[in-house]
Amino acid sequence: MVGLGGCSSVRLAYGQAPSASYWWLDGYLDFTEPQTLQVRSHLTAFFDWHRATQLPDHVDLLMQARGEVLQNTTPAQVCGWVETVRTRLDTSLERLLLPMTEVGRTLSPAQLQHLSRKFTKNNGEFTEEFLQPDRARRHKASVKRAVDRAELLYGDLTRPQRDMLSEGVKNSPFNPELWLSERTSRQQDILQTLRSLPALDAVQANAALDGLAKRFLHSPRPAFQAYERQLLDYNCALAAQLHNGTSLVQRQEAVARLKGWEDDLRALAPAVLQ
C-alpha cells in the first residue's frame, strides 16, 4: 500500500484488497468455482481481521516513525524497524495461510502444474530484472531501485545523495544468483507441501502449512541465513547513512508522507481511531 504513495491510492487499494488478492492468487492456482467461493470468503475474513486488529497497530507505528524521522539514526535502530515489520508480516501470513488448508487439500495435479509454470515464468522475469549479463546495466538498475525507494519517503534526492547510494549499491553483498537459488528452493518446497496435502487430515495439513510459512519467512538453509544477516546489516548501515545525510527539508517531507499514510490508515481502521 505504501508503495502506491498517494493517499487516495492507498485507501482505494486497501478497499479493493480482498478482490485484488483473490485475482493474484487465482493467477497462480486457477481456482475452481467451489474453491473460488472458499478463497473469497477466507480473504474477506482475513481483511476484516486485519482492519480491526492490525491497522490500529500500524497507525501507532507510523506515529512513532514520525516522532523519530527528524532525528539522526543508527544502523541498530534501522534494523530494529525491520524486525518490527517482519514480526507483523509473520503474524499476518500465519493468519492468512491456515484457513486456506481446506482449499489446499482440494488442489488438483493440473492446478499444481499451473503453479509450477507460473513460478518458472516469474523466475524468468526475476532474471531479466536482477541478473542482467552486463554488469553496468545491472548496477544501474539496482541504483534506480534504491533511489526510487528513498525518494518515496524523502522526496527528490540530491546528486551527492544519489552518488552515495550508487557507491553503496556497488559495495553491497547483495547476491542475486544466491537469492534466485533460494527462491527456487522455496518454490519447490511450496509445490511439495501442496502436493502432500490431499493425503493429510485437517490437523496434519494445518501443521504442514504452518511449517511451510515458517520456512518461507525464515530460510532453514544456514548459508542463506548467514548471507541474509550480512545483507541486512549492510542495508541498515546504508539506510542510516542516507538518512543522516538528509536535509531538514527532506526530513520534513518524510514527516508529511508518514502523516499522510497514517491518516489513510486511520480512515480505514475501526471507528475508535477516527
Side-chain angles (χ1 to χ4, degrees):
M1 288 185 342
V2 170
L4 292 170
C7 297
S8 60
S9 297
V10 171
R11 298 182 194 190
L12 178 63
Y14 196 88
Q16 296 179 343
S19 179
S21 298
Y22 165 78
W23 287 112
W24 182 81
L25 288 169
D26 186 59
Y28 281 86
L29 289 165
D30 192 22
F31 295 122
T32 64
E33 186 173 345
Q35 289 169 343
T36 291
L37 296 176
Q38 291 176 307
V39 171
R40 286 190 180 277
S41 175
H42 290 323
L43 288 172
T44 297
F46 169 78
F47 281 101
D48 286 345
W49 165 83
H50 193 272
R51 184 189 297 268
T53 67
Q54 302 303 292
L55 290 192
D57 174 71
H58 298 347
V59 167
D60 290 342
L61 289 178
L62 288 167
M63 290 176 61
Q64 181 182 342
R66 277 200 296 120
E68 294 181 11
V69 76
L70 289 175
Q71 309 301 319
N72 280 354
T73 191
T74 66
Q77 286 177 290
V78 175
C79 280
W81 274 102
V82 173
E83 185 59 32
T84 293
V85 172
R86 282 185 172 179
T87 300
R88 269 70 176 179
L89 289 175
D90 287 2
T91 300
S92 291
L93 182 59
E94 180 179 357
R95 181 80 182 199
L96 178 63
L97 271 187
L98 292 185
M100 296 291 187
T101 301
E102 184 179 358
V103 177
R105 295 171 69 204
T106 67
L107 293 173
S108 69
Q111 287 176 298
L112 295 180
Q113 183 61 37
H114 182 85
L115 176 61
S116 179
R117 289 194 298 269
K118 181 70 171 180
F119 282 156
T120 298
K121 179 177 181 292
N122 287 354
N123 290 341
E125 293 172 352
F126 178 94
T127 298
E128 290 180 4
E129 184 175 356
F130 291 94
L131 285 165
Q132 301 91 334
D134 182 85
R135 292 286 174 172
R137 285 184 56 213
R138 185 184 298 190
H139 176 71
K140 182 178 180 181
S142 296
V143 172
K144 183 180 186 303
R145 286 191 295 269
V147 169
D148 287 347
R149 286 193 292 268
E151 290 189 335
L152 178 64
L153 182 62
Y154 299 109
D156 292 341
L157 298 185
T158 64
R159 173 51 57 188
Q161 288 167 338
R162 287 169 173 260
D163 290 344
M164 186 276 290
L165 276 183
S166 178
E167 187 66 17
V169 168
K170 178 182 177 182
N171 296 323
S172 171
F174 176 60
N175 183 335
E177 289 88 357
L178 181 59
W179 173 234
L180 180 58
S181 175
E182 173 69 16
R183 177 189 177 103
T184 302
S185 295
R186 293 184 185 190
Q187 290 167 348
Q188 291 306 307
D189 189 11
I190 291 170
L191 288 167
Q192 290 170 9
T193 301
L194 293 180
R195 289 188 184 114
S196 75
L197 294 185
L200 305 178
D201 62 31
V203 174
Q204 292 170 328
N206 272 332
L209 283 183
D210 182 60
L212 176 63
K214 288 179 169 60
R215 294 190 301 274
F216 186 83
L217 289 167
H218 306 283
S219 174
R221 287 163 279 279
F224 191 80
Q225 291 174 8
Y227 158 74
E228 199 169 33
R229 182 73 252 176
Q230 179 189 21
L231 180 62
L232 176 61
D233 289 343
Y234 183 89
N235 285 340
C236 290
L238 182 61
Q241 181 183 358
L242 173 67
H243 176 77
N244 293 341
T246 55
S247 67
L248 177 59
V249 171
Q250 288 173 317
R251 295 186 191 190
Q252 289 172 334
E253 175 69 19
V255 169
R257 296 194 181 195
L258 290 167
K259 182 62 165 64
W261 298 331
E262 178 189 324
D263 290 343
D264 289 342
L265 298 193
R266 283 184 183 278
L268 290 163
V272 67
L273 292 182
Q274 307 300 323

